[in-house]
Amino acid sequence: MIRTSALTKRFGPILAVDGVDLDVREGDIYGFLGANGSGKTTTVRMLLGLVLPTSGEVSLLGRPMPSSAHEVLPQVGALVEGPAAYPQLSGRRNLAVFDAAGAGQGSGRRSRRRRIEEALDRVGLGGIDGRPVRAYSLGMRQRLGLAAAIMRSPRLLVLDEPTNGLDPQGIGEIRTLLRELHATGTTVLLLSHQLAEVEQLCSRVGVLDRGRLVLQQELDEICGPTGRIHVRTPDADGARALLDGQVEAATSTGLLVRHPDAGELNAMLVGRGIRVEELTLERRTLEDAVLAATGTGSDRVARP
Amino acid sequence: MTRSRRWWLAAVAVALVTAAPLVARAVPVQAPDRDAASLVAQVRAAAHHPYSGQVEMNGNLDLPVTSRFTDIGTLLGERTTLRAWWRGPDAWRVDKLLVTGETDLLHSGGLTTEWSYEANRAVRSVDPDVRLPRTADLLPPALAARVLDGADDRTATRIGARRVAGISAPGVRIRPADPRSSVDHVDLWEDPASGVVLRVDAYASGDTAPSFSTAFTTFSAAIPDEARTRFVLPAGAKVSFDDVLDIADAANQYAPFDPPDRLAGLVRAATPSGAVGVYGSGLTRLLVIPLRHRDAQTLDDQLRRSAGVVESDVGLQLQAGPLGVLVADRGDFSWLVAGPLTPDTLVTAARDLQAGATLR
Amino acid sequence: MIAVELGKLLRSRRTWVTIGLVDALPTLVAVLLAVTDLGPRPGTGPAFLSAVLHDGTLFPLAAMAMVLPLFLPVAVAMAAGEAIAGEAQTGTLRYLLVRPVGRTRLLAAKLVSVMAFVLLTVLVVAATALLTGTLLLGHENTGRTISVSGTTLTTGELAVRTGLALLYAMLSMLGVAAIGLFLSTVVRTPLAAALGTLAVLVASTLLLPLDAAHALRPYLLTRYWLAFVDLFRDPILWTNVVHGVLQQCGYVVAFLAAAWANFATKDVTD
């Protein structure tokens, strides 16, 4: 769906994006992580042809960008760096204006009314009146931006922080919406700096740090087992004596044990009369992986 | 397409658009190779040749402007656009084009009509024996006729041809032989087919740019339609008849003086025969007008305000390019002495005048 | 895209307020003239203003002569300055471009929209002027009009020439629109683009009467603006009108080319 090779953007002396090889596959919900100013938005702007790369290539839906923008972009819905609308027009009118502005697949004039109402329903603005967007709250604008992105049933959705300004309930709704869209075959590229959001939604993760893609992996692989097992037991000392050399750390409630097979470990401990209250496979968290891959946040300016 | 290539393309477009008006002018002129005398002869022969076209006049003569002296000051000191239709000496029309209207002169049947659009008024008059110059006198053919009046054709030399109103016009330079003239030279360019002069540039001594220039910007040598020169008073417009055209006409008719037959060695012409005298010819023409005290005072005030004015025992004197103006004070009246003459000649003329003028 | 832009233009309250403001000046002048019956002295004031006192059907032209030197170009500069910089400021530019709308097409649509605004303004000003002119002024109207050259024009001739003059006045705004559009692709705020355009306008007005700048005259933006008066001379003096149309077309070619060169590959980061 999206593939970039050695994508680089330089704004004067500043290297904003540095040799990024992004790979988003069809059917992914790809979480694109990175601190503010790490180059996420610039990368997305390059994907959509808003910013031209200094070097490197972008291929979107299998076609080169920005030269094939006219064929590709009608099948892409996007929310780039916050929603935007004509403040003096109503939400419906805004959607109609943007829809009429371009041509291409799924934007017929006759279906426009229906698609607008559907999109508004899906983002939870179905009952909105004719008031101008100027009078919308931040959350409503965010929902309107999402409606604009999804109203042509795109094959690819590029969403930059789509839950900004929404309350927890709204965030939940959007998450459900994205899952639904994904179930009907939409690939999603989700930009976020919230690890939790990405962890809950995404199947694949890329991490950008100061313009470089430092991690790109399936979420399952990142959050795989570490090979250690957490054993909760009141007989910690006995267990330690028994498993000498395999215990890597002690916690307040038990021990962290390196062992290839939890079942075998359990059988052995119980066999030797050690009470086991709980046995869990230790897994890596996304946070660990991201912290391990990145340095300090890019908005932090420390003394050299 | 790369950014720099786009900018190159844009630069080429800008260059083409900017150069388009220049390219037409850059095409070299080709004019027939004829000697100066034959060109001048052709101009003289074409004195009554009809023509029409648009004329651009540009004067750099900084003259004091008074309303009593018609628009002569602005005509010689500013840029003026005219449209002219000339069927012959008694059927012509010259429109002075203004941003907000026009002031037109039409002449037919011995009657001149001045139409002013903004005043919505037509003023009719019979041409007097003497008057101050007006737009029609400054059209290239009319001005050229005055320059050539009395000039020695042998002094004419060829100069380079130039394109005037789209016509490759051969050029002639006239240098006054008389040292009393303050005109250094006058350049004429003529239509090689009809002999009508298309452009006249007058230079004062020592100047590199012309003091006064008048040139066609569009030109036709065909005889204009008769209806063009006829004036039909539009409904609702005011009309009046002027007995006195301007200050020269008024002085000539009513001032009780007789100027002498000779001034500074220049001989007085037969007309006008009243109080106003015209002396010499061509580039040594001298005009003397008696002024009432009030008029002289206004002119004095305006002269004093212009730079380069000289005060002597004779009076106030101003040299604007080749044109000299002197107001000689005689107490209850004054003499205006003017012409394309050197300051010394004007002073001599003024002294001769004070000594020789008689009461009628 | 053109239809969308026109729809936005017509629905915008701002469009109508601007037109109303431009229209207010000639209407005020008409009322003042009707009340005082005092025309400007010959050679002063806008063209045709002295003539409207006896022929109200000329008031649309006087109104044009009033709004053309400043009011209309200011309105056009604001509309054109708004074109790209305004979209960038509200953030809608990026959404238009990813819709996708071709960048060159967007520029063309914006120019058309600005010119449609000019058309609308000129028509509204002319219509109100005709109304106020015939109702308040022109007591001696005889159904025939005196041309600038002193000949008589029939009502039909007057209508044709007035139409041409209005068309010419609209065309005169092409250059302003093109400059505004170009600056709108360069700067970040619509205000800066509008002020930049006005600076060009003021510079042109200042240079025009300067003898030292005579060589520049054919290139000055405002050089031929008032040439629509030439359409009321008899016979019509076409030279300046034709030069004016060509010059405005030249401005459009030059500045649209520059706008295109700048905008087609510009990084949209707003």
Side-chain angles (χ1 to χ4, degrees):
Chain A
M1 283 308 252
I2 304 174
R3 192 177 275 279
T4 69
S5 58
L7 191 62
T8 302
K9 180 66 189 181
R10 201 177 265 287
F11 290 113
I14 299 157
L15 194 59
V17 175
D18 183 9
V20 167
D21 299 304
L22 206 61
D23 180 21
V24 179
R25 298 168 197 158
E26 180 136 28
D28 275 351
I29 298 191
Y30 187 105
F32 197 23
L33 281 162
N36 291 325
S38 58
K40 273 182 307 180
T41 301
T42 304
T43 308
V44 162
R45 280 175 185 270
M46 281 194 280
L47 297 182
L48 298 173
L50 290 171
V51 168
L52 299 182
T54 310
S55 66
E57 270 145 39
V58 177
S59 136
L60 206 61
L61 308 183
R63 307 291 300 274
M65 277 295 286
S67 53
S68 299
H70 269 272
E71 294 97 84
V72 175
L73 288 183
Q75 306 172 52
V76 177
L79 189 65
V80 188
E81 221 180 355
Y86 298 105
Q88 74 279 15
L89 303 179
S90 72
R92 279 192 178 78
R93 184 80 210 130
N94 260 294
L95 293 182
V97 163
F98 280 113
D99 197 58
Q105 208 184 352
S107 56
R109 193 198 171 108
R110 252 171 289 157
S111 63
R112 185 170 299 148
R113 250 202 121 67
R114 178 180 55 77
R115 284 181 294 118
I116 289 174
E117 294 309 323
E118 259 174 32
L120 286 174
D121 279 338
R122 294 196 82 163
V123 298
L125 287 179
I128 195 80
D129 51 19
R131 80 180 99 153
V133 171
R134 196 187 304 121
Y136 281 23
S137 70
L138 189 59
M140 286 162 80
R141 285 177 203 213
Q142 193 73 26
R143 287 171 193 259
L144 184 65
L146 271 169
I150 64 170
M151 77 174 277
R152 273 171 305 278
S153 317
R155 283 176 62 195
L156 172 67
L157 261 180
V158 178
L159 302 175
D160 190 350
E161 312 277 0
T163 53
N164 243 0
L166 294 180
D167 49 28
Q169 199 182 347
I171 294 175
E173 280 173 45
I174 298 307
R175 200 178 294 146
T176 315
L177 172 63
L178 291 184
R179 286 213 179 95
E180 278 169 25
L181 288 168
H182 179 242
T184 55
T186 311
T187 308
V188 180
L189 173 65
L190 181 72
L191 275 71
S192 184
H193 64 274
Q194 288 178 339
L195 296 170
E197 187 170 279
V198 169
E199 212 162 7
Q200 286 183 32
L201 263 174
C202 298
S203 55
R204 218 169 126 75
V205 172
V207 178
L208 204 61
D209 178 40
R210 276 165 289 184
R212 302 193 66 95
L213 191 66
V214 291
L215 181 73
Q216 178 167 252
Q217 230 173 352
E218 298 291 328
L219 188 67
D220 287 348
E221 287 172 29
I222 295 171
C223 302
T226 56
R228 296 195 299 188
I229 297 163
H230 186 245
V231 182
R232 194 169 129 174
T233 171
D235 310 327
D237 293 337
R240 190 187 285 275
L242 189 67
L243 297 168
D244 191 30
Q246 284 172 289
V247 175
E248 294 200 344
T251 64
S252 56
T253 52
L255 301 171
L256 272 174
V257 182
R258 184 160 290 281
H259 196 280
D261 191 326
E264 216 172 88
L265 177 66
N266 190 24
M268 185 185 74
L269 288 173
V270 174
R272 301 285 173 92
I274 292 176
R275 293 168 293 172
V276 175
E277 288 175 339
E278 192 180 296
L279 206 77
T280 40
L281 290 176
E282 190 198 49
R283 284 179 178 274
R284 263 191 301 173
T285 64
L286 184 57
E287 190 175 350
D288 293 338
V290 170
L291 284 178
T294 60
T296 52
S298 57
D299 48 4
R300 190 184 148 91
V301 184
R303 265 175 222 288
Chain B
M1 207 181 313
T2 63
R3 191 168 176 77
S4 58
R5 198 167 308 160
R6 277 175 196 276
W7 272 111
W8 269 114
L9 219 63
V12 168
V14 173
L16 282 180
V17 168
T18 325
L22 300 174
V23 168
R25 270 177 258 165
V27 178
V29 281
Q30 285 179 320
D33 187 26
R34 286 160 50 188
D35 64 274
S38 86
L39 287 172
V40 172
Q42 195 190 4
V43 171
R44 287 190 194 278
H48 296 315
H49 198 289
Y51 59 85
S52 62
Q54 194 178 329
V55 172
E56 197 80 31
M57 295 195 321
N58 186 20
N60 294 315
L61 309 184
D62 195 10
L63 283 180
V65 184
T66 78
S67 54
R68 295 275 296 168
F69 282 75
T70 68
D71 54 355
I72 184 68
T74 52
L75 284 182
L76 296 178
E78 286 172 14
R79 205 174 279 277
T80 317
T81 308
L82 306 173
R83 271 210 293 186
W85 293 269
W86 188 279
R87 287 169 57 82
D90 196 40
W92 51 262
R93 170 184 185 132
V94 178
D95 294 358
K96 185 163 99 170
L97 307 183
L98 310 166
V99 186
T100 54
E102 43 186 78
T103 307
D104 305 346
L105 287 178
L106 292 95
H107 187 90
S108 68
L111 214 59
T112 303
T113 309
E114 188 190 64
W115 160 254
S116 167
Y117 173 69
E118 287 156 298
N120 197 31
R121 175 194 294 276
V123 180
R124 312 198 115 160
S125 60
V126 177
D127 279 0
D129 286 345
V130 66
R131 54 174 174 74
L132 294 173
R134 57 191 181 193
T135 50
D137 301 316
L138 298 171
L139 296 172
L143 190 61
R146 277 181 191 268
V147 169
L148 291 175
D149 174 30
D152 183 352
D153 289 6
R154 284 165 303 176
T155 63
T157 52
R158 270 302 308 267
I159 53 166
R162 70 185 293 170
R163 183 173 286 109
V164 185
I167 298 167
S168 291
V172 178
R173 175 163 297 175
I174 311 289
R175 235 175 239 286
D178 196 317
R180 285 169 295 192
S181 175
S182 61
V183 175
D184 187 67
H185 63 272
V186 177
D187 293 345
L188 314 174
W189 287 269
E190 62 166 288
D191 175 23
S194 64
V196 176
V197 172
L198 299 177
R199 181 181 176 113
V200 178
D201 284 1
Y203 290 80
S205 304
D207 282 359
T208 51
S211 306
F212 183 80
S213 167
T214 171
F216 280 101
T217 50
T218 62
F219 176 78
S220 162
I223 185 159
D225 192 24
E226 193 265 333
R228 275 280 89 76
T229 58
R230 202 167 1 106
F231 187 74
V232 182
L233 186 73
K238 289 162 277 197
V239 66
S240 60
F241 197 93
D242 251 7
D243 290 327
V244 178
L245 191 66
D246 59 28
I247 195 164
D249 183 24
N252 191 48
Q253 289 187 50
Y254 304 115
F257 302 105
D258 245 340
D261 291 339
R262 258 171 191 279
L263 288 181
L266 296 166
V267 183
R268 186 177 179 190
T271 50
S273 54
V276 171
V278 173
Y279 297 80
S281 65
L283 294 174
T284 47
R285 190 184 295 259
L286 175 69
L287 176 73
V288 300
I289 305 172
L291 295 177
R292 284 180 301 171
H293 182 70
R294 203 177 48 162
D295 294 337
Q297 206 56 54
T298 326
L299 191 55
D300 254 19
D301 291 347
Q302 301 205 335
L303 277 178
R304 277 179 206 286
R305 255 179 267 145
S306 43
V309 72
V310 179
E311 188 163 15
S312 66
D313 57 324
V314 194
L316 283 181
Q317 192 173 3
L318 178 73
Q319 193 75 18
L323 190 66
V325 177
L326 193 156
V327 181
D329 192 17
R330 285 279 315 257
D332 42 342
F333 73 96
S334 300
W335 287 96
L336 169 66
V337 184
L341 301 165
T342 59
D344 292 346
T345 313
L346 283 186
V347 170
T348 314
R351 292 225 163 90
D352 291 354
L353 189 59
Q354 283 169 337
T358 52
L359 265 171
R360 241 201 293 220
Chain C
M1 189 61 212
I2 289 175
V4 172
E5 282 301 323
L6 294 182
K8 262 160 56 187
L9 176 78
L10 292 178
R11 272 163 211 269
S12 163
R13 189 171 357 138
R14 182 176 164 157
T15 307
W16 298 104
V17 170
T18 313
I19 290 177
L21 286 175
V22 172
D23 202 26
L25 175 73
T27 311
L28 174 69
V29 171
V31 171
L32 289 176
L33 281 183
V35 171
T36 61
D37 213 31
L38 278 174
R41 279 181 299 115
T44 63
F48 298 110
L49 202 55
S50 42
V52 295
L53 281 179
H54 44 84
D55 187 354
T57 51
L58 283 172
F59 195 60
L61 296 163
M64 260 318 107
M66 276 180 252
V67 299
L68 200 57
L70 193 64
F71 268 48
L72 196 54
V74 167
V76 172
M78 285 186 7
E82 178 79 15
I84 301 294
E87 297 274 4
Q89 211 177 35
T90 51
T92 42
L93 178 60
R94 58 177 184 264
Y95 287 106
L96 284 177
L97 294 182
V98 302
R99 172 59 189 88
V101 177
R103 296 189 181 201
T104 314
R105 232 173 96 203
L106 182 62
L107 279 179
K110 289 293 184 183
L111 183 68
V112 170
S113 153
V114 173
M115 289 318 288
F117 169 70
V118 173
L119 174 86
L120 211 59
T121 315
V122 167
L123 288 185
V124 169
V125 169
T128 20
L130 188 61
L131 205 68
T132 49
T134 43
L135 288 181
L136 300 175
L137 304 163
H139 317 294
E140 297 161 39
N141 189 8
T142 51
R144 293 183 151 246
T145 300
I146 306 176
S147 79
V148 173
S149 304
T151 54
T152 307
L153 300 176
T154 62
T155 309
E157 281 173 314
L158 177 72
V160 169
R161 291 185 185 205
T162 306
L164 282 174
L166 295 183
L167 202 64
Y168 182 78
M170 293 174 207
L171 277 177
S172 300
M173 291 298 111
L174 266 174
V176 184
I179 295 174
L181 204 56
F182 166 65
L183 289 178
S184 186
T185 67
V186 175
V187 299
R188 279 172 175 273
T189 65
L191 188 66
L195 287 179
T197 313
L198 287 182
V200 176
L201 200 73
V202 172
S204 167
T205 317
L206 281 177
L207 286 175
L208 205 50
L210 215 63
D211 267 339
H214 188 249
L216 290 178
R217 284 190 87 196
Y219 299 103
L220 293 179
L221 184 61
T222 55
R223 166 70 177 86
Y224 298 106
W225 277 8
L226 292 176
F228 73 88
V229 177
D230 292 353
L231 293 168
F232 294 85
R233 306 191 196 275
D234 215 16
I236 295 176
L237 177 62
W238 286 107
T239 41
N240 284 345
V241 174
V242 171
H243 281 163
V245 171
L246 289 177
Q247 187 215 35
Q248 294 300 317
C249 291
Y251 263 99
V252 169
V253 170
F255 279 91
L256 266 196
W260 167 77
N262 180 44
F263 185 58
T265 46
K266 189 189 177 177
D267 287 339
V268 175
T269 53
D270 306 272

